[in-house]
Amino acid sequence: MATSWTPTSAGSAVELLPEEHGFLMAGRGRAAEVAIVSLVEAGAARISREGLVSAVRTHQRAWTPLQTAVLRSTPRSLGDVVSATAGSAEAEAMHLDLIERGYLRTARSRRAGRWAPLLVFIVMFTVLVTLSDYMRFEHAVGVFLGGVLLLFLLSRAARPHTALGRATVKRLKTFATTADRVALVAYYGLLGEVAKVPVWHVLGMAPEAAGTLRRRPRSDASGSGCGSCSSGSGSSDGDGGDGGGE
C-alpha cells in the first residue's frame, strides 16, 4: 500500500515499517492497530459495522510479519485482533529488532538507568559531607553541579527510547494527518483524537466497532502492553513507565 508517508520520507536512517513507527509511539498494541488499518487500506481486510475483522482474498503482495499475524487472527472482533496481534511472536520479534537496530533500550539498561542516579546521589552526598571541612566552597559547588549533570544524563538511560528512537517519534507527527490514515493511527492510535474528533471516526469506523477496543492505561514503547488501545496521542517520547523486554 502506497501512502504519502513512507519510511524514507519520515527521515529514518534505517527504513522502518509503519507498524514499527506505531510500536515506537506506544508499544505492541499500537503496532497491531497500524497493521490492521494498513491491511484495510490495502483491501486485504475489512471491518464490519459490528467490529468484526475479516480477511479478504488478495494477491497484491506479500505482507509484513505483523500483518500476517493480523490475518491469522481473523475473523475476530477488532479489539480481539489487536490483543492477539499484540501478544504474537511477530510483535515480540519486532520489539527485539527495534532494540537491535538502536531505537529502543533493553530492560536491563533501563533498570541500570533507574538505579545509577541513586548511587551517584549517595556518592555525591557522602563526598560533600565527608570532605566539606577540607574543600573550598567553589570546589564543593563544582562537585554538586557535576553530580547534578551526571544525574540528568543517567536518568535518560531509563527511558525506553534511544536518541534515534526519540528523533523518529518526533518526526512522525509531521506525517500524522488526515491525509495519511496509516500515519494517523501510528501517532494517535484508534482511540486517540485529532481536533477533538476520535481517530476511529476520522477513519469512518462505526461506534460499535470502536466499542470493541479496550481502553487501557497509557503504555510506552517498551512493548510490554497494549498501549495503542489507550486514548490520547500515546506519544511517550521515551518517558513511559513500564519496562521493555530484552
Side-chain angles (χ1 to χ4, degrees), residues 53-187:
V53 181
S54 54
V56 177
R57 290 184 178 276
T58 177
H59 301 287
Q60 285 184 310
R61 61 178 175 83
W63 306 113
T64 68
L66 204 64
Q67 288 172 330
T68 301
V70 168
L71 295 173
R72 187 177 65 236
S73 300
T74 61
R76 291 189 196 177
S77 72
L78 177 58
D80 286 343
V81 173
V82 170
S83 295
T85 306
S88 67
E90 288 84 354
E92 174 62 13
M94 177 178 291
H95 181 203
L96 296 176
D97 186 57
L98 288 170
I99 291 175
E100 184 177 348
R101 291 156 67 187
Y103 290 92
L104 294 174
R105 293 188 175 93
T106 65
R108 182 179 290 113
S109 65
R110 293 183 66 195
R111 284 194 296 269
R114 293 190 185 103
W115 283 104
L118 177 60
L119 296 177
V120 170
F121 176 80
I122 293 174
V123 171
M124 181 179 66
F125 180 80
T126 302
V127 169
L128 289 176
V129 170
T130 304
L131 302 179
S132 59
D133 293 337
Y134 306 97
M135 297 177 66
R136 296 168 59 92
F137 175 76
E138 55 269 26
H139 293 162
V141 171
V143 170
F144 175 78
L145 294 179
V148 170
L149 177 60
L150 186 57
L151 286 172
F152 172 75
L153 294 176
L154 289 174
S155 67
R156 296 176 69 86
R159 299 178 177 182
H161 296 90
T162 63
L164 177 60
R166 290 195 299 273
T168 302
V169 165
K170 186 175 181 180
R171 282 193 295 267
L172 177 58
K173 187 175 183 179
T174 305
F175 302 92
T177 66
T178 54
D180 194 323
R181 296 150 69 92
V182 177
L184 195 70
V185 175
Y187 190 80

Side-chain angles (χ1 to χ4, degrees), residues 205-216:
M205 289 185 184
E208 295 85 351
T212 68
L213 294 168
R214 294 158 179 78
R215 191 176 295 275
R216 302 182 182 183

